[in-house]
Amino acid sequence: MKLDGLVSGLKTEELIKALMDVSAIPKTLITNKITDRNSVITNLQSLNKTLQELVDKAKTAAGPSSLASFTASSSSETVTITAGSKATAFSTAIVVDAVATAHSVVTAAAGGTAWGGTFTLVGSDGEAVEVTPLGTGPQDLAKAINASKAGVSATVVPAGTDADGKPLSRIQLTSAETGAAGAFTLHRGTAAEVTSGTAVDLGAAPGAALLTQGADARIRLFAGTDAEQTLNSASNTITVGEGIEVTVTKASADPVTVTVARDAKKQSSTAEAFVKEIAALLVRIDNGSKATIGEVGETTTLGVFTGDSTVRNLRGALATAVQHPIDGISPSTIGITVSDKGVLSFDAEKFAAALAEDPEGTQELFSAVSARVQDVTTQYSDKYDGLLTKRITGQEDEVKTLKTQVERWDIRLEQRRATLERTYAQLEVQLSKLQSQSSWLTSQLAGLTPSDS
């Protein structure tokens, strides 16, 4: 029951609210601290995610061929060339003597019930695979061959009709892989009958045909010289050098020139992109660590990372990783510099010049710098033992503790409100009693006063 100044005339509700506001000041301070900590946690988590992404990029950049980038060209559309990370500058002429083909045969035409029994596929290595269709139709045999996993696909081909008008069919068989090793024969009969020579070779029967003979691709390097060399491949892609492959599509007696050249522009772009990732991270930390000092009477605003020793140490470790010399050689020699104000920058022209003068040395220095960056980012962002990860965990634990304090304060404040409401209610009751007593005494005193009559 609320007695809001019915007797006293006091604004009881307003008094209680004012007293409660004073009592709730510690809770408000804790709540504000939770909001501040949550903001810090959010920004630290975002920073940690960026670090984890940088770990992967640094790992790639630290590879011994991370800058490898080449342009590959061919003098003919029938030959294409690709260059991998291990490639080097290269140029030569090749002659394409043959392209790889898949072995393919087609059987003689036969009626709809001539395809039952046991058949045997024999590969070029002599391995025999027996196939027994469930029915006697061409589709049954084709299905059985396709399910045999013998490396041969079968397709039923209509072949007109016989003298009685009944449909005829052929089965075309093609090896799954190109190359001489894919050659095969199809026999009517068991594997034992093939061995004994009593099985019928369906590809050699009257009306059957060899469509293409399985063959390897074949090219010649240094054709017409004493160093002429023939290279074979079951596929149309042939390795002609470390990390360098050519793919041929047509045979030709005319030499085709293939060339691999270093792509210096792309190499510089690769290095620049990585360094800019680090520079952006350093700028982000710097901006988050700034404190904006207000004028006299104004509030000073702190950055989300201001005073955070973990983030400050991370910033220092990254700067050290990219600017300190390696084996006495400064990263600035390949265009990676940090100014006196701590700004990381990349000089693309200087890097390109270093790459042209000493490509291996430049790659080694860049990889070493990247490896140090990888070590730093891993040390801070590891999901179990990372220094920044532990910092985030510590902040989260503190927030949990603060939330527990808020819950306790809620209970305490409810008790405080209940006490105040009881106190003021009792005050009104007591005042009411005193008022009643006062009225009674007044009436009694009035009765004792003699009348004037």
Side-chain angles (χ1 to χ4, degrees):
M1 180 180 66
K2 296 182 180 180
L3 302 174
D4 193 7
L6 293 176
V7 178
S8 66
L10 296 174
K11 294 182 179 180
T12 307
E13 285 298 314
E14 292 183 7
L15 285 171
I16 292 175
K17 182 179 183 303
L19 290 170
M20 288 301 300
D21 287 344
V22 173
S23 299
I25 288 176
K27 175 191 171 182
T28 302
L29 292 175
I30 296 173
T31 302
N32 291 340
K33 185 178 289 188
I34 290 175
T35 301
D36 177 67
R37 292 293 181 272
N38 281 334
S39 176
V40 171
I41 290 171
T42 298
N43 282 276
L44 288 176
Q45 287 174 333
S46 177
L47 179 63
N48 205 34
K49 182 180 179 182
T50 302
L51 275 181
Q52 289 169 347
E53 293 172 351
L54 188 57
V55 169
D56 295 333
K57 294 175 182 177
K59 183 178 180 180
T60 300
S65 57
S66 60
L67 296 176
S69 183
F70 301 90
T71 57
S73 60
S74 169
S75 63
S76 172
E77 294 180 353
T78 62
V79 178
T80 56
I81 181 169
T82 57
S85 60
K86 294 183 178 181
T88 55
F90 176 81
S91 181
T92 192
I94 65 172
V95 174
V96 182
D97 291 324
V99 296
T101 54
H103 194 75
S104 181
V105 298
V106 63
T107 67
T113 59
W115 307 95
T118 299
F119 297 80
T120 302
L121 281 165
V122 181
S124 61
D125 58 357
E127 182 178 355
V129 177
E130 290 189 353
V131 178
T132 303
L134 297 178
T136 60
Q139 293 290 355
D140 297 317
L141 178 55
K143 184 176 181 180
I145 291 173
N146 291 331
S148 69
K149 297 182 180 180
V152 177
S153 63
T155 303
V156 177
V157 180
T161 58
D162 61 14
D164 296 328
K166 295 181 180 180
L168 299 173
S169 299
R170 300 175 186 269
I171 295 181
Q172 181 175 334
L173 302 103
T174 305
S175 61
E177 303 290 339
T178 57
F184 62 88
T185 54
L186 176 64
H187 300 264
R188 182 187 292 275
T190 64
E193 290 172 331
V194 172
T195 302
S196 65
T198 57
V200 177
D201 183 352
L202 296 186
L210 172 65
L211 302 179
T212 56
Q213 176 66 45
D216 292 343
R218 188 173 67 257
I219 66 173
R220 281 179 292 146
L221 301 179
F222 324 120
T225 71
D226 292 340
E228 182 174 286
Q229 178 181 349
T230 299
L231 298 177
N232 296 337
S233 173
S235 73
N236 282 315
T237 299
I238 305 172
T239 299
V240 296
E242 187 175 23
I244 302 174
E245 295 180 335
V246 295
T247 300
V248 298
T249 58
K250 184 179 179 181
S252 173
D254 296 327
V256 176
T257 300
V258 291
T259 303
V260 173
R262 187 181 298 275
D263 190 342
K265 184 176 181 181
K266 190 172 182 179
Q267 288 178 304
S268 294
S269 297
T270 299
E272 183 175 16
F274 177 67
V275 174
K276 283 187 174 181
E277 289 269 356
I278 304 170
L281 181 58
L282 295 178
V283 170
R284 178 179 175 181
I285 293 174
D286 291 342
N287 290 338
S289 302
K290 290 179 180 178
T292 304
I293 301 176
E295 299 293 337
V296 177
E298 294 182 352
T299 303
T300 296
T301 303
L302 300 179
V304 70
F305 301 137
T306 302
D308 194 313
S309 60
T310 303
V311 177
R312 182 172 61 251
N313 291 338
L314 166 63
R315 206 271 183 214
L318 281 173
T320 298
V322 295
Q323 69 178 331
H324 274 211
I326 296 174
D327 294 333
I329 303 175
S330 172
S332 63
T333 59
I334 60 172
I336 301 175
T337 58
V338 177
S339 70
D340 55 354
K341 295 182 179 180
V343 178
L344 174 63
S345 61
F346 180 83
D347 189 330
E349 292 184 2
K350 194 170 185 178
F351 185 86
L355 199 60
E357 181 179 348
D358 183 8
E360 292 184 0
T362 302
Q363 171 70 78
E364 290 177 0
L365 184 57
F366 177 77
S367 296
V369 169
S370 302
R372 290 198 306 201
V373 172
Q374 181 187 356
D375 291 340
V376 171
T377 50
T378 300
Q379 179 187 12
Y380 278 83
S381 70
D382 182 84
K383 63 180 180 180
Y384 299 113
D385 301 320
L387 298 178
L388 192 59
T389 303
K390 290 181 178 179
R391 171 69 173 147
I392 293 170
T393 302
Q395 291 286 299
E396 290 174 337
D397 290 342
E398 183 178 352
V399 168
K400 289 179 182 178
T401 301
L402 292 173
K403 286 182 176 179
T404 300
Q405 293 180 22
V406 168
E407 292 172 357
R408 292 173 179 171
W409 267 105
D410 285 337
I411 296 172
R412 195 177 306 167
L413 290 172
E414 284 299 318
Q415 293 173 342
R416 174 63 174 159
R417 178 179 288 278
T419 299
L420 289 172
E421 288 178 347
R422 284 197 305 270
T423 299
Y424 279 98
Q426 287 296 323
L427 173 65
E428 295 296 328
V429 171
Q430 294 302 320
L431 285 174
S432 177
K433 288 180 179 180
L434 289 173
Q435 192 176 56
S436 296
Q437 291 176 357
S438 176
S439 297
W440 181 82
L441 287 173
T442 300
S443 65
Q444 292 298 316
L445 289 172
L448 295 175
T449 302
S451 63
D452 294 336
S453 56

